[in-house]
Amino acid sequence: MTLLERYLFKRAITYAAASLASLVLIVWIVQALSRIDIVKTSASAAGNIFWIALMLLPDLAAGVVPFAILIGAIQALNSLNTDSERPVIAASGASQWVIAKPIVALGLIGGLIILFIAHVIGPASASAFQNGLRSINADTITLFLQPGRFERVQPGLVVSIGAARGSTVESLVIADSRDEATDLTYFAREAQILEQDQQSLLLLYDGQLHRRNKSDGGISVIEFQTYAFDLAELRPTARGDWIRASERSTFALIWPDPNDALSQSRPAVLTEELTDRMTNWLYALAFALWAVVIAGQPRTNRQGTGPAMALGLAGGLGLKAVGFVTLSLIEESFIWVLVTYALPLSAIILNAVLIGRDFNLSRWSLFEKFTNASYRIGAAIGRWGPFRQSAQGTAGR
């Protein structure tokens, strides 16, 4: 890299790192607080909650890395215009790719980080997270539930036991109202916690399942000799899918065991997980190039930096949202796998073409309309009562 490229790269990676730390912290706190209710369930959970929440970090980081790169790159490019450095660079005859190279390098670094997390750290952390939940729920059922009392172990999930002897439970009742359409109630004369394939399972023996349809109130009763539950979420595992696709290695996703229950019953789930791991890193590069398209051209200070950031985030969120939709449709048809790959690749190609043609978005009529609308909205908010009173109070002091 030249001196100028190193200067811009240092700025961009600094802003991106700060954005990444902020985004991960915010999302992690939200995710951790959504599971804080398990601390109230058992004493051992209080010691494990930090470890379990920590296992969320790799996947959260991989999800927000593209947005951190987008924000950091736009901030770095905006600062060049704010300090009047970008017009000087343009006047010296430097091409748009002089600005784009360090941003693309940042996108490639982010993509490599996402690949490493997706294929190495992510499956291990997902498995550790689910096993932590299984351990807590197993302790809750066998050690901390009081016989004869109905305890809410999760929102919409109530459990009661008659007695507990080690890993064996007598007279187990599970009332599950988490489904919006159906209430499920399980009665078992006996239940036992077993380790199978390195996973903790709750096996119910000699019982009944009462299923009530919430729409019409209809009730059906099913008797069973054995019923298996995944202790991570206390959900049935009739299809043998307690080892989730997110917990499997990439090798196991590409070449699944032909005797594996999940690969036999729902092979599209494995394809969806593999496609997600293979395409996530492309968004980091696509967002980096999009940042150059949005904020890479010289601008005057009067044009401001807010519209570039707003439009950049809008474009990134829109592309990622469409990617989530196509990913969720893979179970319906294999064609959506190709669409999921095509989305970030087409964005990369389109942005590269725009940069190569020295496309100036600020001269585009739609961008001008968007900028004018942003300023009008900002002015309207400034004239709104609380903000106006605050401004007047500050001026009075």
Side-chain angles (χ1 to χ4, degrees):
M1 285 188 182
T2 64
L3 180 62
L4 175 60
E5 291 169 350
R6 290 198 300 271
Y7 170 72
L8 180 54
F9 179 79
K10 182 179 178 181
R11 273 197 174 189
I13 198 171
T14 301
Y15 286 128
S19 301
L20 177 62
S22 303
L23 291 172
V24 169
L25 183 61
I26 292 171
V27 177
W28 180 72
I29 289 175
V30 172
Q31 292 291 326
L33 289 178
S34 68
R35 295 172 172 83
I36 201 67
D37 60 323
I38 64 177
V39 176
K40 298 180 292 184
T41 303
S42 68
S44 66
N48 295 332
I49 183 61
F50 179 77
W51 169 255
I52 292 175
L54 195 64
M55 293 299 100
L56 292 169
L57 282 177
D59 283 341
L60 294 178
V64 300
V65 161
F67 292 97
I69 290 173
L70 177 63
I71 294 172
I74 292 177
Q75 284 182 313
L77 294 171
N78 281 341
S79 67
L80 289 183
N81 278 299
T82 302
D83 298 337
S84 300
E85 294 170 326
R86 182 65 184 95
V88 173
I89 296 173
S92 67
S95 69
Q96 184 79 334
W97 282 108
V98 173
I99 300 298
K101 283 180 184 177
I103 304 300
V104 170
L106 177 62
L108 289 174
I109 292 174
L112 291 175
I113 293 173
I114 294 173
L115 279 174
F116 181 71
I117 293 175
H119 297 287
V120 181
I121 300 178
S125 64
S127 180
F129 174 77
Q130 296 298 335
N131 287 335
L133 292 181
R134 294 181 181 110
S135 176
I136 286 178
N137 286 332
D139 290 345
T140 298
I141 293 173
T142 58
L143 299 177
F144 300 101
L145 287 184
Q146 298 182 12
R149 292 187 58 181
F150 289 84
E151 298 283 352
R152 186 179 71 92
V153 298
Q154 293 180 20
L157 187 66
V158 177
V159 178
S160 175
I161 62 173
R165 302 189 313 274
S167 61
T168 302
V169 176
E170 296 180 356
S171 302
L172 177 67
V173 179
I174 300 176
D176 187 356
S177 60
R178 292 173 293 181
D179 192 288
E180 296 181 357
T182 309
D183 283 336
L184 302 173
T185 305
Y186 302 86
F187 302 90
R189 189 180 303 276
E190 184 178 279
Q192 190 173 15
I193 294 174
L194 295 178
E195 295 290 331
Q196 180 175 324
D197 297 329
Q198 299 181 345
Q199 307 296 323
S200 298
L201 305 178
L202 177 65
L203 297 183
L204 277 59
Y205 300 104
D206 190 15
Q208 292 182 344
L209 164 60
H210 293 208
R211 186 192 306 268
R212 186 179 74 87
N213 192 310
K214 293 183 179 179
S215 60
D216 58 13
I219 298 177
S220 60
V221 179
I222 302 172
E223 292 190 1
F224 59 82
Q225 294 298 318
T226 306
Y227 218 94
F229 272 75
D230 181 1
L231 277 168
E233 297 179 352
L234 283 176
R235 293 188 184 275
T237 58
R239 293 176 298 205
D241 57 352
W242 50 80
I243 303 179
R244 292 162 175 76
S246 60
E247 301 177 58
R248 300 166 187 250
S249 67
T250 303
F251 181 86
L253 294 177
I254 299 175
W255 295 284
D257 185 348
N259 298 320
D260 181 73
L262 182 58
S263 65
Q264 290 177 346
S265 60
R266 301 172 66 197
V269 173
L270 303 183
T271 304
E272 178 182 339
E273 177 66 22
L274 180 63
T275 304
D276 187 32
R277 295 185 190 181
M278 293 297 189
T279 56
N280 260 343
W281 74 278
L282 295 172
Y283 287 95
L285 183 57
F287 284 12
L289 291 168
W290 175 238
V292 177
V293 173
I294 290 294
Q297 291 287 348
R299 297 191 310 274
T300 65
N301 289 333
R302 291 184 178 182
Q303 289 178 292
T305 60
M309 180 65 74
L311 189 59
L313 288 175
L317 288 170
L319 180 64
K320 193 64 174 177
V322 176
F324 277 129
V325 172
T326 59
L327 194 64
S328 65
L329 294 173
I330 288 177
E331 286 195 63
E332 298 183 7
S333 174
F334 184 80
I335 191 66
W336 293 107
V337 174
L338 303 178
V339 176
T340 304
Y341 277 96
L343 277 173
L345 288 173
S346 60
I348 291 171
I349 295 171
L350 176 60
N351 292 332
V353 170
L354 293 177
I355 294 172
R357 294 188 175 184
D358 202 23
F359 176 74
N360 193 340
L361 189 65
S362 62
R363 297 175 184 172
W364 196 27
S365 60
L366 186 60
F367 182 79
E368 293 180 357
K369 293 178 181 178
F370 179 81
T371 302
N372 294 333
S374 301
Y375 288 144
R376 284 196 296 269
I377 293 172
I381 294 175
R383 290 192 299 268
W384 189 40
F387 291 96
R388 181 173 58 188
Q389 292 174 5
S390 176
Q392 289 173 351
T394 302
R397 286 195 298 271

